[in-house]
Amino acid sequence: MSLDPRLNAIRADLADARLRGRAEAGHFVAGQPRRVARGCADLRRRPAADAPLDTQLRFGEAVMLFEEKDGWAWVQNQADGYVGYLEAAALAPAGPLPTHQVAALRTFRFAAADIKSPVLDHLSLGSPLVQADEHDRFIELEGGGCVYAPHAEPLGAAHRDWVGTAERFIDVPYLWGGRTALGLDCSALAQTALTLAGRACPRDTYMQRDSDAVGRALPPDAALHRGDLLFSPGHVAIASGPETVVHANAFHLMVAHEPLAGFRHRLAQRGEAITLALRPEI
């Protein structure tokens, strides 16, 4: 079985040393741990600014670095296994393990523990944080910057109402490949909400649809419950009730809440339909 290059660091000339014996490549190299040092780092299909955007990495996420060349880094995100190229300047040494995560939908990384200090970056819900110290209701981060303490929570704090988490993103713009509170796509919305609920979830729609770990398949005539994942060609929506859905979609160009009937009608106009419903067990 061929390995999916989106989930395995493999090229004709270079590959992850852990794939030796499972794949052919001109050279194998052990990955070096790094972390993302920007609020949002674009992960592209090729090492070029105009290459397709496949996904994004969030501040604090751990990656394995396999190659750095001409200002680009070839990496694998340790959170979901996604492989691609990002600007090398977006990476920093791995450092200590995260202690906290962003609990607000979005927040600022200030230069100091002062709301009037310069804003260094914007951080999104779920971004891992490493606390170095605490000053006057601010968490001082390892590597620099401060986050307002009430906007953070201990790492791994579970948001069990994962549909409620998805609904926090309503009106956030739709962005193909996006994965932050500044813009995201349908599968990133499902991934973010499920991951914060403690359920590991792959990045792309086809990965979620085909994963046994995401949820159990429902019979075609099953009544829908809040939290069911509804798959149509190239898309995933989340049932917020038996007759409503919430999803990041290109029709509204944002995360929207709408009647299931309206969603089904648009699919039918394109000759499509909901092909699978999965029920995650949280």
Side-chain angles (χ1 to χ4, degrees):
M1 181 180 294
S2 61
L3 298 176
D4 187 339
R6 294 191 179 189
L7 296 176
N8 296 275
I10 179 170
R11 304 186 323 216
D13 63 324
L14 186 66
D16 181 351
R18 294 172 296 183
L19 300 178
R20 192 187 301 271
R22 300 174 56 202
E24 294 184 2
H27 183 62
F28 289 88
V29 63
Q32 301 298 314
R34 297 287 189 273
R35 68 175 178 85
V36 179
R38 291 181 183 170
C40 175
D42 292 339
L43 197 70
R44 299 190 178 276
R45 202 166 302 172
R46 301 188 308 274
D50 61 353
L53 174 66
D54 280 334
T55 187
Q56 292 175 325
L57 305 187
R58 295 191 291 247
F59 179 86
E61 288 189 321
V63 303
M64 295 298 289
L65 171 65
F66 298 101
E67 180 187 63
E68 186 173 335
K69 183 179 179 182
D70 298 330
W72 290 90
W74 189 45
V75 304
Q76 182 172 34
N77 185 7
Q78 296 300 90
D80 58 19
Y82 221 99
V83 175
Y85 297 87
L86 53 70
E87 294 180 0
L91 296 179
L97 294 176
T99 58
H100 292 72
Q101 63 192 23
V102 174
L105 185 62
R106 60 181 73 89
T107 192
F108 298 113
R109 181 165 68 98
F110 292 99
D114 183 347
I115 61 171
K116 296 182 180 179
S117 67
V119 171
L120 302 178
D121 212 341
H122 299 75
L123 307 184
S124 292
L125 178 67
S127 298
L129 306 172
V130 180
Q131 179 177 340
D133 205 345
E134 188 167 1
H135 301 286
D136 190 25
R137 300 192 75 199
F138 280 84
I139 291 176
E140 181 181 339
L141 302 180
E142 183 76 22
C146 296
V147 169
Y148 184 51
H151 287 182
E153 61 189 0
L155 183 72
H159 298 237
R160 294 298 181 189
D161 180 9
W162 76 275
V163 180
T165 299
E167 291 172 333
R168 292 177 65 185
F169 285 84
I170 286 176
D171 293 339
V172 169
Y174 176 87
L175 176 64
W176 179 274
R179 193 168 159 263
T180 76
L182 295 179
L184 76 173
D185 60 24
C186 63
S187 54
L189 180 66
Q191 182 196 45
T192 299
L194 280 169
T195 300
L196 283 169
R199 165 73 71 176
C201 182
R203 171 62 180 92
D204 286 346
T205 303
Y206 78 93
M207 300 174 188
Q208 296 170 2
R209 180 198 64 207
D210 297 341
S211 173
D212 293 334
V214 170
R216 60 182 177 87
L218 301 179
D221 58 348
L224 295 180
H225 292 178
R226 178 177 169 87
D228 291 344
L229 290 174
L230 311 179
F231 292 89
S232 55
H235 187 68
V236 59
I238 303 163
S240 52
E243 299 296 337
T244 55
V245 296
V246 57
H247 56 155
N249 67 91
F251 178 78
H252 298 96
L253 211 61
M254 64 176 64
V255 178
H257 195 262
E258 67 171 322
L260 175 61
F263 175 49
R264 288 188 188 272
H265 178 69
R266 287 201 307 279
L267 289 174
Q269 288 181 316
R270 301 198 300 266
E272 298 174 353
I274 294 171
T275 58
L276 176 67
L278 294 180
R279 181 163 296 166
E281 296 178 357
I282 304 298

